[in-house]
Amino acid sequence: MKTSFYQHSLAELELLFRERGLPPSGPGLLFNWHYKKRKSEPCLQNLAKDSINFVSEFLNFNLPEIEVTQCSDDKTVKFLFRLEDGQKIESVLIPFNGKYTICLSSQVGCAMKCSFCHTGLQGLSRNLRTDEIIGQFLVAQKWLTANRPEDDKILNIVFMGQGEPLHNFDAVKMACEIFLSQHGLSIADQKITISTAGYLPGLERWKEEMPKVNIALSLHSPLKEKRDQLIPINKKYPLEEVIKYVDSIPEGKNRFVTYEYLLIDNFNDTDEDAHLTGKLLEGKKAYISLIPFNPFPGSPYQRPQLSKVEHFKSILDQYKIPTLIRATKGDQILAACGQLNSKTASKPLQSPS
Ligand code: SAH
């Protein structure tokens, strides 16, 4: 059976070549062709004949297919991808100063069942493989180069699409290795962020195994009762334990933690919520990202007025924690945080802006 080329690190390919007595230059040439030159058709130049035979027999170069592309006026682009088995996932390109952040999915659906999240309502269908994660990036990059050649650079990667990335650790870790590798996609250190609902077993591995990747923790409430209601895995992995773990990252490492705080009208946006959050995070090497709730069809919560969000921020400012209100981009096409749901993915197709 063939495996995807995009599933393998350079070291793995080198081993496969060595085991078969093939010329050792092959894996480097393949990486250069597919990741540096961004070619998607198989590399049949420069490889020795035996290597070409091996590649044709054992590797495929399939990538997810774009089923729908939606562009919003703010230049956000949402892709609905179709995978080999017909499953669908979404990824979003978010513009920022002429460059892009790409928001990737790590699973088809999600098992976390957060009550405010459109993806959570869909349940988990399956994990994505490494090549399906890398594939979202490569296909989106190709689309950008074809449609917006004047500003086609993807600078940051965030795992904030569908799924809980730490719940699909091995595939996400290998994808990050290929993203970061200078032989792969050469994404700079600390330009990848994994957002987690607080899945502790994954956080424990992240701390040891992914030193060049940042974490964003979905905090959403410092109060157990409210957080339990929003993020059910809080009952199994309570916030105190998760924060204790995050705090235990050795000093001096360049990693930082972003705490994401979803603001829901009349639920977790009171002065008391803000003060308790400030006290919880005071003195930590942390950033807070305030995310006003993004509604979706049938969602049980409302978004607060901007003035309330700003007031919440002003309280956090008293605790001297750098806090940003996350601009809501792409909500016109349901591409904002928590709005992704590939089962109800909408059809409208607008021409690229
Ligand atoms: N499973 C990961 C990543 C998924 S989503 C996690 O839980 O962190 C990335 C961010 O979007 C998370 O902070 C998530 O809580 C937030 N989010 C989910 N649904 C949202 C919604 N409807 N409005 C605003 N933010 C939402």
Side-chain angles (χ1 to χ4, degrees), residues 27 108 215 223 256 284 295 342 347:
V108 183
I215 276 285
L223 293 164
F256 65 86
K284 293 191 197 306
S342 41
K347 293 279 167 269

Side-chain angles (χ1 to χ4, degrees), residues 159 164-166 194-199 203 215-218 227 260:
F159 282 89
E164 166 53 46
L166 294 182
I194 287 180
S195 180
T196 177
Y199 183 65
L203 272 172
I215 276 285
L217 176 66
S218 294
R227 196 165 188 270
E260 296 166 292

Side-chain angles (χ1 to χ4, degrees), residues 114-117 195-198 216-232 234 239 243 258-264 267-270 273-274 277 280-281 288-293 301 312 326 337-338:
C114 298
S115 60
F116 50 83
C117 178
S195 180
T196 177
L217 176 66
S218 294
L219 177 70
H220 303 349
S221 175
L223 293 164
K224 177 157 173 48
E225 213 170 283
K226 284 189 194 175
R227 196 165 188 270
D228 280 352
Q229 205 174 316
L230 295 172
I231 305 178
N234 192 54
L239 183 66
I243 291 204
T258 303
Y259 291 89
E260 296 166 292
Y261 195 105
L262 171 74
L263 276 165
I264 299 173
F267 182 77
N268 62 353
D269 60 348
T270 65
D273 291 308
T277 304
L280 181 70
L281 301 180
I288 300 179
S289 179
L290 289 178
I291 318 175
F293 174 69
Y301 303 112
F312 198 90
R326 192 181 289 171
C337 288

Side-chain angles (χ1 to χ4, degrees), residues 60-285:
N60 74 60
F61 296 86
N62 301 342
L63 290 169
E65 279 173 28
I66 298 179
E67 185 144 311
V68 182
T69 309
Q70 288 174 269
C71 304
S72 73
D73 297 343
D74 64 16
K75 291 192 114 187
T76 301
V77 189
K78 180 165 84 165
F79 300 102
L80 176 68
F81 285 115
R82 201 186 131 82
L83 306 174
E84 273 165 352
D85 60 355
Q87 297 274 16
K88 314 270 171 75
I89 49 162
E90 292 175 306
S91 325
V92 185
L93 283 169
I94 307 154
F96 184 72
N97 287 344
K99 305 207 169 50
Y100 290 87
T101 292
I102 188 164
C103 175
L104 298 178
S105 293
S106 55
Q107 297 178 312
V108 183
C110 184
M112 300 294 127
K113 303 222 172 318
C114 298
S115 60
F116 50 83
C117 178
H118 205 190
T119 309
L121 297 180
Q122 183 184 336
L124 177 67
S125 300
R126 70 169 174 86
N127 281 329
L128 294 186
R129 298 188 311 262
T130 297
D131 56 291
E132 292 169 325
I133 298 171
I134 297 276
Q136 296 168 59
F137 180 100
L138 291 174
V139 176
Q141 176 69 74
K142 217 172 177 176
W143 185 93
L144 269 184
T145 305
N147 292 282
R148 298 182 186 166
E150 66 296 347
D151 54 359
D152 69 343
K153 202 159 171 47
I154 304 177
L155 209 62
N156 294 289
I157 297 176
V158 295
F159 282 89
M160 296 185 186
Q162 284 163 295
E164 166 53 46
L166 294 182
H167 192 222
N168 181 18
F169 193 92
D170 290 322
V172 169
K173 179 184 166 193
M174 178 62 91
C176 289
E177 278 175 25
I178 296 171
F179 284 135
L180 292 165
S181 162
Q182 50 170 323
H183 305 287
L185 289 159
S186 297
I187 299 291
D189 290 2
Q190 317 305 335
K191 294 285 186 199
I192 303 181
T193 300
I194 287 180
S195 180
T196 177
Y199 183 65
L200 194 55
L203 272 172
E204 291 170 354
R205 289 192 61 191
W206 160 74
K207 188 181 147 197
E208 300 305 325
E209 300 177 40
M210 288 205 257
K212 294 178 176 168
V213 172
N214 291 322
I215 276 285
L217 176 66
S218 294
L219 177 70
H220 303 349
S221 175
L223 293 164
K224 177 157 173 48
E225 213 170 283
K226 284 189 194 175
R227 196 165 188 270
D228 280 352
Q229 205 174 316
L230 295 172
I231 305 178
I233 64 154
N234 192 54
K235 294 178 199 144
K236 190 155 183 202
Y237 307 114
L239 183 66
E240 316 87 83
E241 279 181 40
V242 170
I243 291 204
K244 201 158 85 199
Y245 212 85
V246 169
D247 281 348
S248 68
I249 304 164
E251 286 286 331
K253 288 236 173 104
N254 229 352
R255 287 193 276 200
F256 65 86
V257 178
T258 303
Y259 291 89
E260 296 166 292
Y261 195 105
L262 171 74
L263 276 165
I264 299 173
D265 197 32
N266 293 330
F267 182 77
N268 62 353
D269 60 348
T270 65
D271 287 10
E272 191 204 2
D273 291 308
H275 282 292
L276 288 173
T277 304
K279 282 183 190 136
L280 181 70
L281 301 180
E282 196 172 19
K284 293 191 197 306
K285 196 171 145 190

